[in-house]
Each structure stands twice: as structure tokens, then as C-alpha cells.
Amino acid sequence: MPKTPEPNTSQTLPVFRAEEFVVVNGVAEGDSLSFADELLMDDIYQLAHSAQRSMLTVVYSADGKILTIDGQSETGGAGNRIFLDCMLTLMGSDSHTHEAVVLVEVEDDEVEAIYLLPLSKMVPDTEYRLVGIDRNAALPRFAEMACVSFARGTRITMASGEQRPIEDLKVGDRLLTRDDGAQQIRWVGQTTLRATGQFAPVLIRKGALNNANDLLLSPEHRLFVYQRQDQVGAGRAEVLVKVRHLINGDSVVQQDGGYVDYFQLLFDDHQIIYAEGIAAESLMIDPRTRAALPNEIRSLGHKHRHHLDYEIEEELMKDAKAVERLRKASST
């Protein structure tokens, strides 16, 4: 799989501004969140009562080394650089730990703003003690958020038609793909993560989208749906939709709590494969995901595939009956 040029890739992050996360007890009492060099261990922070997440949209350069703020971002200055400063470990008053990434916005070599990206649920008016600062973990943890994953137990369609649990797959196994027939697995990844916040899996209940059984996926995972009639107003039959945009509190829900075993499947090209009988994407190597991959495949690249042009915006999924419409549209 040769390395190929990659387009810029964007990602939208739900962040809190630094001034909404303030030290309420400790040496730096009264100070808002800052970057790693200015943070003090054991200081106790709180989110302001009025704290609300803002949507920060960042664009990766083709080599993944530079992040800038997109012109359509809800917050931040268009074109400003974003740096992943560090990852924090915070202990709540209930003794549960929380991870969060500190992002620094820079304009003309000056710090313009600092943001907190929690990787698990954090709530206002709750105390969080700073117990860890890691300057090296922010990038790989950030990349893991973009890695599409299947949960343990998911049955994947082999080239033979057999349905095999994902944890039993290995490199060289041949799976059925939508575009290229039988294709060999190049790499299988496995991670065990706390199933909270950005990593809490999304459950698509049996039959919700004509899936044969319950299907548990990472929030950023995209499903491919062929509509026999355009039921969601996409303007085309083929659509690619993120599962987090399908959450409706009924047939599609996010499961927060405990731990989840995630598996990633990589091919020589980005593929649409079949999980519990419905079409879902494989892992894509791009500027967002590369830092989460092992060194031996990190330098490889995936070329653009036509199905990537079919992704639809979240707005088309706002209708409470959107999932039901997709199910009916894709039924035989």
C-alpha cells in the first residue's frame, strides 16, 4: 500500500473555554485553566455553572502536523493554529478519574485562547482535582477519538459469507467489501477504553437499520446506507452517516459507563464492509488517525474513495424519525 497524497481533514470538537474551568481550591485559586507549564498538581477545579460546550472545528494539514481553525468553526479565530498541549487526569469528588486534552489557540505567536476537551462527562459545580499532567499522551489519545471501531462480539461478514466475531479475525483473513469484493485484512487493532464521553459506544438496536443483531460502534463510525428512495433529503441514494448523528434515545442510544473492548480493521484501501448484516466503514489512515497507529503502518496512506463523498450533515438526522426513514429506505 504506497503512501498517497491526502486531502486536508477536518474534525469538530466539543470544548469548554479555559475561563469556564477555574481553580476553586489550591495554590492557583481563582486562576482559569492554562497550559501544562503553568498548571499545579492537586489544584481543584470546577466548571462554571453556566459552562456550555462550544464547537471548535479544526483542519489538519495533509501530513497531520499542523492544525488550524476552520473558517466555519463556531468558536476560535479562522486560520489560527491549534496545539495539543497536554492531557490531564482529573479526579472527581466521587473518586472517578477523568481525562481531558488541553488545546492552545495561537495567533501571531501569541496565545489567543485555551480550551478543555473532556474525554468523559464532566458537569458544572463539581470539584475535579488535578492528579496528572502528560505532555506526550495528548496526540495519540486525540487520534483514538477518530479511529472507527467495532465492539467485541460484532459479527463481520467473511468473503465466504460466514459471520465471524470480530475478536476472532486476524491479518490475512478475507472479508466481503461492497466495492472491491473479497479483500484481505492488513492490520487488526484492539483497545480497551473507558466507555465514557467521546469513547462511549453507540448501540444500534437489532433491526433499527435492518441489522441482524444489536450493533455497538464507536461514535465517529460511519454507516453506508443505500436508499431506494431518498427519505432524508440527501439528494442522492447513497449516504454515509456517523452513528452519533443517529442517536435518538430509542432505537439508537449511547451507552455511557464501564469499559469497552474496541477493534479496528484496516485494509490496503478504505473499505465498506458488513457488520451484523449492514454496511459500515473500515479504519481509514488519515491525518487524524495516524498517531494512534503502530509505527510500521503509520507512514502508509489511503487514497480518496468515492463513497467518502456521500457523507451527510448532522442536520439531516435531526428529525426524530430519521432512523426509521433510513431503515425503510434501505429495506428490500
Side-chain angles (χ1 to χ4, degrees):
M1 180 170 56
K3 185 174 181 178
T4 55
E6 299 168 359
N8 285 357
T9 304
S10 65
Q11 186 171 7
T12 299
L13 310 166
V15 299
F16 293 107
R17 298 186 67 88
E19 52 267 31
E20 297 178 306
F21 196 58
V22 176
V23 178
V24 295
N25 193 343
V27 176
E29 184 172 349
D31 290 351
S32 59
L33 176 71
S34 188
F35 40 82
D37 289 343
E38 296 187 352
L39 299 177
L40 296 171
M41 297 291 287
D42 290 322
D43 275 355
I44 297 174
Y45 290 77
Q46 275 190 2
L47 276 174
H49 181 74
S50 59
Q52 292 186 342
R53 289 181 186 255
S54 299
M55 295 302 159
L56 177 68
T57 303
V58 296
V59 179
Y60 295 72
S61 63
D63 60 8
K65 295 180 179 180
I66 300 175
L67 278 71
T68 56
I69 298 179
D70 185 82
Q72 301 301 312
S73 180
E74 178 182 288
T75 192
N80 287 352
R81 294 278 297 276
I82 288 288
F83 293 90
L84 303 178
D85 182 70
C86 63
M87 189 175 74
L88 307 181
T89 302
L90 301 150
M91 181 174 290
S93 54
D94 58 1
S95 297
H96 288 164
T97 57
H98 303 260
E99 291 181 338
V101 175
V102 176
L103 308 172
V104 178
E105 177 185 351
V106 173
E107 182 178 12
D108 296 330
D109 296 326
E110 298 289 337
V111 174
E112 177 67 20
I114 297 174
Y115 305 96
L116 181 75
L117 173 64
L119 302 184
S120 59
K121 185 177 181 180
M122 296 177 63
V123 296
D125 302 324
T126 298
E127 293 187 346
Y128 296 98
R129 183 184 297 272
L130 179 59
V131 296
I133 304 170
D134 192 327
R135 291 172 172 81
N136 299 316
L139 181 57
R141 186 60 104 218
F142 196 69
E144 285 177 355
M145 291 169 50
C147 288
V148 300
S149 306
F150 302 89
R152 178 180 293 275
T154 303
R155 297 188 308 166
I156 305 295
T157 303
M158 311 295 291
S160 65
E162 174 194 353
Q163 305 291 302
R164 186 177 298 177
I166 192 166
E167 60 268 25
D168 294 339
L169 297 178
K170 60 185 184 299
V171 172
D173 282 345
R174 294 167 65 82
L175 302 188
L176 178 64
T177 71
R178 184 181 188 275
D179 297 317
D180 298 317
Q183 292 293 313
Q184 286 190 347
I185 298 173
R186 176 66 176 264
W187 177 76
V188 179
Q190 180 182 356
T191 52
T192 299
L193 300 171
R194 288 188 62 188
T196 59
Q198 301 295 315
F199 297 104
V202 174
L203 171 65
I204 302 172
R205 300 191 191 279
K206 178 180 178 179
L209 288 171
N210 299 308
N211 41 309
N213 296 287
D214 287 352
L215 179 58
L216 201 61
L217 304 169
S218 57
E220 292 294 307
H221 217 128
R222 293 176 293 190
L223 299 177
F224 181 93
V225 179
Y226 181 83
Q227 305 180 94
R228 285 161 177 78
Q229 292 184 331
D230 183 11
Q231 293 287 334
V232 298
R236 57 181 176 270
E238 298 168 304
V239 296
L240 200 64
V241 56
K242 286 184 180 178
V243 295
R244 65 180 174 86
H245 294 164
L246 295 170
I247 296 171
N248 58 16
D250 182 18
S251 59
V252 181
V253 297
Q254 192 158 26
Q255 293 190 328
D256 195 294
Y259 291 83
V260 59
D261 289 334
Y262 275 141
F263 293 81
Q264 302 85 36
L265 298 177
L266 182 71
F267 298 84
D268 283 344
D269 290 303
H270 185 251
Q271 297 289 354
I272 302 297
I273 61 176
Y274 296 90
E276 300 299 350
I278 62 174
E281 69 173 325
S282 65
L283 178 62
M284 183 173 182
I285 300 178
D286 65 16
R288 300 171 304 162
T289 61
R290 185 166 282 115
L293 302 176
N295 290 333
E296 61 268 23
I297 60 174
R298 189 174 294 180
S299 62
L300 304 176
H302 277 156
K303 65 177 182 290
H304 185 80
R305 303 300 304 271
H306 65 91
H307 53 246
L308 295 172
D309 297 326
Y310 302 150
E311 185 170 356
I312 58 176
E313 298 296 326
E314 182 178 5
E315 288 300 315
L316 293 181
M317 294 290 104
K318 291 293 188 182
D319 187 337
K321 294 185 178 180
V323 173
E324 176 64 13
R325 288 177 178 173
L326 277 179
R327 185 191 66 80
K328 290 180 178 178
S330 61
S331 297
T332 55

